[in-house]
Amino acid sequence: MARACRDTLMLSIGAVREIQMIPHDVHLQIGSLLFERLDQIDLTGPFEVLSRIPNSTYRIYAKKADCVRDLHGLRLIPDATLAEAPPLDVLHIPGGYGQEALMEDEEVLGWIRRQAAGACSMFSVCTGALLCGAAGLLKGRRATTHWASFHLLPYFGATPVNRRVVVDGSRIFAAGVTAGIDGALQLAAELRGEDAARSIQLHIAYAPEPPFNSGTPETAPPKILQQAQRSLRGITAQREETARRIAARLGIRVGDQGQTAERR
Amino acid sequence: MARACRDTLMLSIGAVREIQMIPHDVHLQIGSLLFERLDQIDLTGPFEVLSRIPNSTYRIYAKKADCVRDLHGLRLIPDATLAEAPPLDVLHIPGGYGQEALMEDEEVLGWIRRQAAGACSMFSVCTGALLCGAAGLLKGRRATTHWASFHLLPYFGATPVNRRVVVDGSRIFAAGVTAGIDGALQLAAELRGEDAARSIQLHIAYAPEPPFNSGTPETAPPKILQQAQRSLRGITAQREETARRIAARLGIRVGDQGQTAERR
């Protein structure tokens, strides 16, 4: 099937909020990237929303057709391989520790780049943003990612924005892990209107009531934040090293303090 | 491995909050039931929390070792079969349309009954509560489930409580779908203390910001609620018929209006 929105996009002037302009009677091809050691809810949170978007086909794509394990062992099977994917209208890129292994994988980066070039919308969750960055898709963008990797966004040419969901034109970035549900609802509203998003929200009973207030570095008790930072030190150092290498490849120069981040 | 908490429970007087009493150095066996046409986030939401509980083994069990499809097609593979499961300390039962097919499946109901009898904690999400009810485990309990099935709880002998998470002694009930994340964090706190739950919450960046306020029948626009009720009419009627049959089997009499529900 041809991309639903290419013609629509041709009609739009400027890059802002063009995804609202897709006619609701145009069928959408929505696809998620699945990879080894992703953080499963970066995919399964959005799945709950994306699989309910009216007049759409939603599929999950991976390098191979085999079962993939998330970073805590959940076993998921893709619907098809990257090579089998049609041109997508909406491209969803999750994150998780396994993102690191793909940061210089041209098969995956090239696929992301080609799909994003024609898609109406690109949607990253958590450190999926770093993968988009490695594909060169964050240059000049406002973006967000997991709090532990937030400081790395400038290496990909992005301005970090400390919000749970950041919408920059046709690109939507959700912050860490569970933020993918909020981002997907925002995406659903952009694609099919707010009532469609509200209907999905009611079906999935999304009226969250976290029993504690510890979901961000700003709200978590300092001791718990320090423990979390310690436990993430290894992967964060590795991601920093990779980010510097990619910045050099992309020709992006970052000062010692990084670029100034927008704070809400 | 022997159940971690049987001895602990023997020491507790009364049924309230005994799960707090498990020593943190006792290893826990945590297990989720996986079945065809479940609603995947009833499992994958809690997975994100349960797979991070300190000093525990977390596995997913199904009737067969084969791949299972959720109601929107996500393909998941269990870690082992029901028969291979060790005695569990924590038993997690998700819901979704596929729950209906198991409501009179003695292989599954017997497994739930046997595991729940020795577990420290039983945790249901969404219409997983109806499965627990069909296993006879809701009699005399305060419980909750998805809003569209809430009125069915009295057929299983339960008092419906219109809260997102209901804790009744060692049993935790989460309401619809995404409520499983809130319930699992509550469970983590009961099992390993509030700081452990706060640490998990920070790692998974759970500080939700739904872009709309439409996640409950009370907050959704009336038109959207009516549409959702219409789309769920078929499965709800089927669940009602099943619930009446099971009530008869369990010897539970329900008046025309059901029992009085607790409202918050």
Side-chain angles (χ1 to χ4, degrees), chain A residues 39-40 44 48 75 78 164 205, chain B residues 39-40 48 75 78 164 205:
Chain A
D39 195 331
Q40 62 87 17
T44 57
E48 202 65 11
R75 294 194 286 173
R164 191 151 175 90
Chain B
D39 194 332
Q40 60 88 18
E48 202 64 12
R75 293 194 287 173
R164 190 151 175 89

Side-chain angles (χ1 to χ4, degrees), chain B residues 21-184:
Chain B
M21 299 179 66
I22 307 161
H24 290 194
D25 61 355
V26 171
H27 191 84
L28 295 174
Q29 288 285 347
I30 305 175
S32 294
L33 175 68
L34 175 65
F35 54 89
E36 198 67 29
R37 298 194 73 223
L38 88 162
D39 194 332
Q40 60 88 18
I41 210 168
D42 291 11
L43 188 145
T44 58
F47 182 100
E48 202 64 12
V49 176
L50 301 180
S51 64
R52 288 174 163 90
I53 287 183
N55 197 17
S56 70
T57 298
Y58 174 45
R59 293 280 181 273
I60 294 170
Y61 302 99
K63 287 179 78 167
K64 296 179 185 170
D66 306 337
C67 159
V68 161
R69 274 190 181 266
D70 112 303
L71 63 91
H72 286 105
L74 185 70
R75 293 194 287 173
L76 297 155
I77 300 180
D79 295 308
T81 64
L82 301 186
E84 291 164 343
L88 297 173
D89 301 305
V90 179
L91 173 65
H92 163 226
I93 309 291
Y97 285 18
Q99 140 276 334
E100 260 301 288
L102 303 181
M103 291 290 278
E104 288 158 303
D105 181 325
E106 258 311 311
E107 181 188 350
V108 172
L109 298 182
W111 185 82
I112 292 174
R113 215 177 280 124
R114 284 191 302 277
Q115 289 288 2
C120 311
S121 185
M122 188 188 80
F123 168 43
S124 77
V125 178
C126 199
T127 51
L130 307 187
L131 271 178
C132 298
L137 300 173
L138 292 196
K139 283 184 185 172
R141 296 280 177 174
R142 300 162 70 244
T144 194
T145 185
H146 192 276
W147 57 263
S149 294
F150 187 74
H151 63 295
L152 301 179
L153 290 170
Y155 290 101
F156 305 100
T159 300
V161 180
N162 189 17
R163 294 185 67 89
R164 190 151 175 89
V165 177
V166 174
V167 182
D168 182 338
S170 62
R171 306 200 176 168
I172 296 184
F173 304 93
V177 199
T178 53
I181 304 172
D182 298 316

Side-chain angles (χ1 to χ4, degrees), chain B residues 212-242:
Chain B
F212 309 102
N213 184 20
S214 184
T216 67
E218 294 82 5
T219 55
K223 190 183 72 178
I224 285 170
L225 175 59
Q226 286 154 21
Q227 283 170 352
Q229 285 168 328
R230 267 198 303 278
S231 78
L232 295 170
R233 195 177 285 160
I235 180 75
T236 302
Q238 192 183 327
R239 283 176 170 148
E240 278 173 11
E241 197 181 310
T242 307

Side-chain angles (χ1 to χ4, degrees), chain A residues 39-48 51-52 58 60 65 67 69-80 97 146-147 163-165 175-179 181-183 185-186 189 194-199 201-217 219-221 223-229 231-232 264, chain B residues 39-48 51-52 58 60 65 67 69-80 97 146-147 163-165 175-179 181-183 185-186 189 194-199 201-217 219-221 223-229 231-232 264:
Chain A
D39 195 331
Q40 62 87 17
I41 210 167
D42 291 13
L43 188 145
T44 57
F47 182 100
E48 202 65 11
S51 64
R52 288 174 164 90
Y58 174 45
I60 295 171
C67 159
R69 274 190 180 266
D70 111 304
L71 63 89
H72 286 105
L74 185 70
R75 294 194 286 173
L76 296 155
I77 300 180
D79 295 308
Y97 285 18
H146 192 275
W147 57 263
R163 294 185 67 90
R164 191 151 175 90
V165 177
V177 199
T178 53
I181 304 172
D182 298 316
L185 280 171
Q186 183 70 44
E194 293 191 359
D195 274 0
R198 286 195 183 95
S199 173
Q201 187 182 2
L202 178 59
H203 275 279
I204 68 172
Y206 188 52
E209 294 181 18
F212 309 102
N213 185 19
S214 184
T216 67
T219 56
K223 190 183 71 178
I224 285 171
L225 175 60
Q226 287 154 19
Q227 282 170 351
Q229 285 169 327
S231 77
L232 294 170
R264 59 168 139 177
Chain B
D39 194 332
Q40 60 88 18
I41 210 168
D42 291 11
L43 188 145
T44 58
F47 182 100
E48 202 64 12
S51 64
R52 288 174 163 90
Y58 174 45
I60 294 170
C67 159
R69 274 190 181 266
D70 112 303
L71 63 91
H72 286 105
L74 185 70
R75 293 194 287 173
L76 297 155
I77 300 180
D79 295 308
Y97 285 18
H146 192 276
W147 57 263
R163 294 185 67 89
R164 190 151 175 89
V165 177
V177 199
T178 53
I181 304 172
D182 298 316
L185 281 170
Q186 184 69 44
E194 294 192 358
D195 275 1
R198 287 195 183 94
S199 173
Q201 186 182 4
L202 178 60
H203 276 278
I204 68 172
Y206 188 53
E209 292 182 18
F212 309 102
N213 184 20
S214 184
T216 67
T219 55
K223 190 183 72 178
I224 285 170
L225 175 59
Q226 286 154 21
Q227 283 170 352
Q229 285 168 328
S231 78
L232 295 170
R264 60 170 142 173

